[in-house]
Amino acid sequence: MLSFDDVNAVLTEMAPACAGGFIQKIQQPTPDTIILSLRRSGRSLSLLLSTHSQYGRLHILSQKMPSIPTPPLFCQYARAHLLGAQIHRLAQTPDDRIVWFELKRGERVFLLVVALTGRSANIFILDAGTTVLRSLKPSRQAIGEPFNLAPCPWKGDSSIEAFPPMPDTEKMVFPVSERIEASYSTSELNATLEDERHRQIAHVRKHVKKLQRRIEKLTHDFAKVDAYREYGRYGELLKSHVSALGKGQKHVTVVDYFDDGLPEITLPLNPEKDGPENLKNYFTKYGKFTGAQENLVPRLKQAKTELTKYKQELEALESGELANPQETEPSSALPKRQVPLLAPQRSKQKNQPAVPYRKFSSQEGCLILVGKTAKDNDAVTFKVSKPDDLWLHARGTPGSHVIVKLEKKQQVLPETLKDAATLALFYSDLRKSGKGEVIYTLRKNVKKPKGAKPGSVTVTQEKNLWVFVDQARLDRLKESG
């Protein structure tokens, strides 16, 4: 974790380059880390904010870090509210390792607070009145409550001067950031990988025990029915004696015609049942054995195979190896391992069920879902989406249902609406014309008539938006998918 002096040094170094910059991208490559991509004066910068309990820091980032396919909730919220915002000024709380960013987005003001305070390190998003809106990690600073970890440097004190923006950042260098990055990044990566290895060990041990219990149970179940292995033969031998059997008999002696020596064998009977009932009982028990051969034996074999693979994987992990995140699980019946956050899986795994939608991210970071087929449209609208999500469709023509994922009572932002409307027009029969009318409403205003064809719906309280397909906007959306 950075010392107070290090925080002061790196903030003094990077503030002139960051002040005045616009936030163009927000990533969360690990649970502890946020990366802000800034643009100002013809230069792009990446700002790393880490709340790792040992390696917490902030600095200008020189190397790219991979992002995960689906951003966590904090990242989604930050994208929805902070993308496009301009960094107005930065400051450090006196005698503390707390850094404040004042962000302006249109008429709204947000405060991004980075608290590098050891185990309690966290990142907070506040409104202009210092009310907590979101936090990266769980915190005693409850959402909706006033932020009380430290006073806002600018609140009620205009004597604290903002770091002035510098007109030319093209040739700036950041030696303090480079020193911090070189010192901390490798250590944090190694610590993260080691944490991941221990997490995988715990995961694999859990499923080794689970498979051992499964094998024990299947073996026990099979042992019970294995006693009925010869009951089919016994039933065949009993057939010729059924008419002579009555209730009250406890056994019957028959000649075993399946044995070349023709020995006599004694078959036990249920004295409460007559001959046909005893015969049925023999074949019923033999049916349990044959059923176990068809079902229990393959399951037992599969479980043993999986156990062998898990034990080999556990041995490799305990020897210091980290499992390849792109490997599939030995058994589709077991939960999938989470991919290590520093090496996210980008390729689709085989046998993974296809989702009924294409996925995009708006300029403000909102998730947009676009149905693929008529049947998929029904799934996206009535199974995936929630009542307060926004629903869009090209008016009067076949096309995809488009959903913008929103929080309850959240208003859709203008650029997000344009992005979603562009996708609704592009994935419709108006695609070639490049222009058309798109309707939109809350998903709760969309109904499925009884007996209607796939994709057919009725809509109420809709609004209209005339859309021209902007190729630059469309390209950006495709890149986000």
Side-chain angles (χ1 to χ4, degrees):
M1 185 71 68
L2 290 185
S3 66
F4 173 81
D5 291 338
D6 283 338
V7 173
N8 183 265
V10 74
L11 185 62
T12 302
E13 174 186 84
M14 74 183 195
C18 295
F22 290 86
I23 300 177
Q24 290 194 320
K25 192 174 182 180
I26 301 175
Q27 299 169 271
Q28 187 176 345
T30 75
D32 300 311
T33 306
I34 294 293
I35 296 176
L36 303 180
S37 297
L38 311 179
R39 182 76 177 174
R40 72 171 302 274
S41 300
R43 180 171 180 176
S44 296
L45 296 173
S46 292
L47 179 59
L48 181 139
L49 314 173
S50 172
T51 60
H52 193 281
S53 59
Q54 289 179 272
Y55 308 107
R57 64 198 186 279
L58 77 163
H59 57 79
I60 300 296
L61 185 65
S62 64
Q63 299 179 353
K64 289 186 177 180
M65 293 183 68
S67 59
I68 57 178
T70 302
L73 292 178
F74 179 86
C75 187
Q76 293 181 35
Y77 185 88
R79 288 178 179 179
H81 294 81
L82 304 184
L83 275 179
Q86 184 179 31
I87 297 179
H88 181 58
R89 52 183 174 177
L90 301 82
Q92 181 180 2
T93 297
D95 303 321
D96 210 338
R97 294 174 294 173
I98 300 176
V99 178
W100 297 72
F101 294 76
E102 186 179 54
L103 312 176
K104 291 188 176 181
R105 182 179 176 182
E107 299 298 322
R108 295 196 66 182
V109 174
F110 294 94
L111 300 174
L112 185 68
V113 183
V114 184
L116 302 178
T117 50
R119 293 186 178 275
S120 61
N122 211 336
I123 298 176
F124 301 90
I125 299 175
L126 317 179
D127 64 13
T130 69
T131 298
V132 178
L133 302 178
R134 283 295 187 279
S135 62
L136 178 64
K137 302 176 181 178
S139 171
R140 295 180 181 178
Q141 301 284 311
I143 294 175
E145 296 293 329
F147 184 76
N148 55 27
L149 190 61
C152 177
W154 305 292
K155 195 171 184 180
D157 187 355
S158 58
S159 62
I160 296 182
E161 188 175 330
F163 287 97
M166 294 185 67
D168 183 13
T169 60
E170 187 64 32
K171 298 181 180 180
M172 288 188 65
V173 293
F174 306 99
V176 178
S177 290
E178 291 175 3
R179 174 178 60 81
I180 293 173
E181 184 174 9
S183 174
Y184 282 79
S185 296
T186 302
S187 298
E188 182 180 13
L189 175 60
N190 291 337
T192 302
L193 292 176
E194 186 63 14
D195 289 344
E196 174 62 21
R197 188 177 71 87
H198 285 293
R199 189 195 65 77
Q200 289 186 359
I201 287 175
H203 171 91
V204 174
R205 282 177 177 169
K206 174 183 176 182
H207 291 295
V208 165
K209 292 181 180 179
K210 183 176 180 179
L211 284 167
Q212 288 173 335
R213 290 195 299 268
R214 183 189 299 177
I215 290 171
E216 183 179 351
K217 183 178 185 304
L218 289 173
T219 302
H220 180 262
D221 290 345
F222 185 76
K224 290 195 297 185
V225 298
D226 191 51
Y228 305 140
R229 182 185 296 269
E230 301 295 331
Y231 272 47
R233 181 166 64 92
Y234 295 160
E236 294 295 334
L237 296 175
L238 194 62
K239 280 183 179 179
S240 59
H241 298 77
V242 168
S243 59
L245 299 177
K247 290 185 178 181
Q249 286 187 250
K250 296 183 179 180
H251 53 80
V252 62
T253 300
V254 298
V255 176
D256 186 358
Y257 296 102
F258 294 97
D259 190 323
D260 292 339
L262 300 179
E264 288 188 343
I265 58 174
T266 299
L267 303 178
L269 301 173
N270 187 338
E272 296 181 358
K273 297 180 178 181
D274 58 16
E277 289 174 327
N278 272 291
L279 180 64
K280 181 181 179 181
N281 187 49
Y282 269 94
F283 283 116
T284 298
K285 290 182 177 180
Y286 181 68
K288 291 182 179 180
F289 169 76
T290 57
Q293 288 287 338
E294 295 176 2
N295 298 299
L296 289 181
V297 172
R299 288 168 60 192
L300 185 59
K301 182 178 179 181
Q302 182 185 13
K304 288 180 178 179
T305 301
E306 292 173 7
L307 180 61
T308 299
K309 291 181 179 180
Y310 265 105
K311 284 184 174 180
Q312 291 172 348
E313 185 175 349
L314 181 60
E315 183 178 349
L317 286 167
E318 289 178 337
S319 67
E321 296 180 20
L322 188 64
N324 185 345
Q326 294 189 0
E327 290 179 354
T328 55
E329 290 291 341
S331 170
S332 58
L334 296 175
K336 300 292 181 186
R337 285 199 305 274
Q338 294 181 353
V339 177
L341 291 172
L342 287 177
Q345 178 177 353
R346 294 184 179 273
S347 61
K348 294 182 179 178
Q349 293 191 13
K350 296 180 180 180
N351 302 324
Q352 187 177 19
V355 294
Y357 52 78
R358 302 174 182 89
K359 186 164 61 173
F360 303 90
S361 179
S362 75
Q363 183 171 325
E364 287 94 358
C366 291
L367 183 62
I368 303 176
L369 308 179
V370 179
K372 295 179 179 178
T373 65
K375 186 179 292 186
D376 291 340
N377 283 339
D378 284 345
V380 169
T381 299
F382 299 109
K383 293 182 180 179
V384 177
S385 67
K386 295 181 180 180
D388 289 308
D389 291 339
L390 190 71
W391 182 92
L392 303 92
H393 192 277
R395 180 183 286 280
T397 186
S400 295
H401 293 192
V402 177
I403 295 293
V404 179
K405 300 296 291 180
L406 298 173
E407 296 181 10
K408 193 171 183 180
K409 296 184 179 180
Q410 178 186 349
Q411 295 296 319
V412 65
L413 295 169
E415 289 302 315
T416 294
L417 179 60
K418 291 179 183 178
D419 285 349
T422 297
L423 292 170
L425 188 69
F426 183 75
Y427 289 101
S428 76
D429 285 359
L430 296 176
R431 176 176 183 169
K432 291 184 179 180
S433 68
K435 58 184 178 180
E437 190 176 16
V438 173
I439 62 173
Y440 63 96
T441 185
L442 294 180
R443 210 285 294 159
K444 61 186 175 185
N445 298 325
V446 181
K447 307 297 181 184
K448 179 75 174 178
K450 188 175 181 180
K453 294 180 179 179
S456 297
V457 296
T458 58
V459 184
T460 58
Q461 301 183 36
E462 74 271 20
K463 296 181 181 179
N464 305 323
L465 181 66
W466 187 263
V467 180
F468 291 89
V469 174
D470 180 348
Q471 191 60 42
R473 183 186 296 273
L474 188 60
D475 291 342
R476 173 175 53 78
L477 288 166
K478 287 182 178 179
E479 289 178 1
S480 74

